[in-house]
Amino acid sequence: DSGVTQTPKHLITATGQRVTLRCSPRSGDLSVYWYQQSLDQGLQFLIQYYNGEERAKGNILERFSAQQFPDLHSELNLSSLELGDSALYFCASSVPGGSGELFFGEGSRLTVL
Amino acid sequence: GQNIDQPTEMTATEGAIVQINCTYQTSGFNGLFWYQQHAGEAPTFLSYNVLDGLEEKGRFSSFLSRSKGYSYLLLKELQMKDSASYLCAVASGGSYIPTFGRGTSLIVHP
């Protein structure tokens, strides 16, 4: 158990819909990272938040957005869903000032039908 | 951006030694990570190399050559539970956020 909590574990929805994935980082970690893992693309970095502010952006689509709240939990919002958005979405957190080691949550598996 | 290459799949025998290679092309290198990921589970951190040389941690060792853009993960005394995907990841360009390769699926058989 990494200490990073993600909900829901599984989600099935239809094209065009919107979903919200939630992540709570490990106690004391200020950074939250979102990654998408699909069979054909591997693990792709989406976005990072640090202490409530966006710190870095990766290959995140405009249909996707995220935020980090004052209690440091984060939400990833996916809208106008397409079949290709079906993937495992991982959240990770890291120790402030650490080597960059990421602690991953168990992931949210999204299936778009 | 980064270009990270590692073999797609490897097989090995229980008790043996296996070396998983990773090559990368990047600028502003900030470190190389290895993660292990069992099917359907979260990646877990194995090692971090930022200087050239070998880092040993129990049955697992990781090597880095920055001039060659090359790393390997060495797994000794293989166990069935080592069957997993091994992800090579590189941080670069002023960022410590790892960019992951596609991973090497290791199958350990009796």
Side-chain angles (χ1 to χ4, degrees), chain A residues 1-15:
Chain A
D1 182 1
S2 67
V4 177
T5 305
Q6 287 187 250
T7 57
K9 286 189 168 34
H10 301 275
L11 193 54
I12 302 174
T13 189
T15 54

Side-chain angles (χ1 to χ4, degrees), chain A residues 37-102:
Chain A
Q37 188 174 41
S38 57
L39 283 174
D40 58 342
Q41 291 291 326
L43 201 57
Q44 299 278 313
F45 169 66
L46 296 178
I47 197 163
Q48 178 205 1
Y49 278 81
Y50 178 83
N51 203 20
E53 302 213 349
E54 182 184 305
R55 177 63 68 89
K57 228 171 188 176
N59 302 322
I60 188 166
L61 300 172
E62 284 194 14
R63 301 184 285 109
F64 295 1
S65 65
Q67 53 185 327
Q68 186 179 28
F69 296 86
D71 67 352
L72 300 177
H73 91 270
S74 178
E75 292 181 356
L76 179 67
N77 301 296
L78 316 174
S79 62
S80 303
L81 285 168
E82 301 175 359
L83 295 177
D85 298 328
S86 295
L88 253 177
Y89 291 85
F90 286 106
C91 170
S93 68
S94 64
V95 177
S99 66
E101 174 186 351
L102 298 181

Side-chain angles (χ1 to χ4, degrees), chain A residues 33 35 37 39-43 45 48 56 90 99-102 104-106 109, chain B residues 30 33 35 37 40-45 48 87 95-102:
Chain A
Y33 307 76
Y35 280 83
Q37 188 174 41
L39 283 174
D40 58 342
Q41 291 291 326
L43 201 57
F45 169 66
Q48 178 205 1
F90 286 106
S99 66
E101 174 186 351
L102 298 181
F104 284 86
E106 293 298 310
R109 182 173 291 282
Chain B
N30 283 329
F33 302 82
Y35 281 79
Q37 185 179 25
E41 298 183 8
T44 55
F45 172 83
Y48 170 69
L87 309 175
S95 168
Y96 287 91
I97 300 171
T99 296
F100 286 82
R102 300 289 292 271

Side-chain angles (χ1 to χ4, degrees), chain B residues 69-108:
Chain B
Y70 168 69
S71 172
Y72 67 72
L73 180 69
L74 193 71
L75 293 76
K76 302 177 190 172
E77 300 167 19
L78 280 171
Q79 302 175 9
M80 300 296 290
K81 69 178 182 180
D82 297 329
S83 292
S85 184
Y86 291 86
L87 309 175
C88 173
V90 175
S92 66
S95 168
Y96 287 91
I97 300 171
T99 296
F100 286 82
R102 300 289 292 271
T104 298
S105 177
L106 174 66
I107 300 167
V108 180

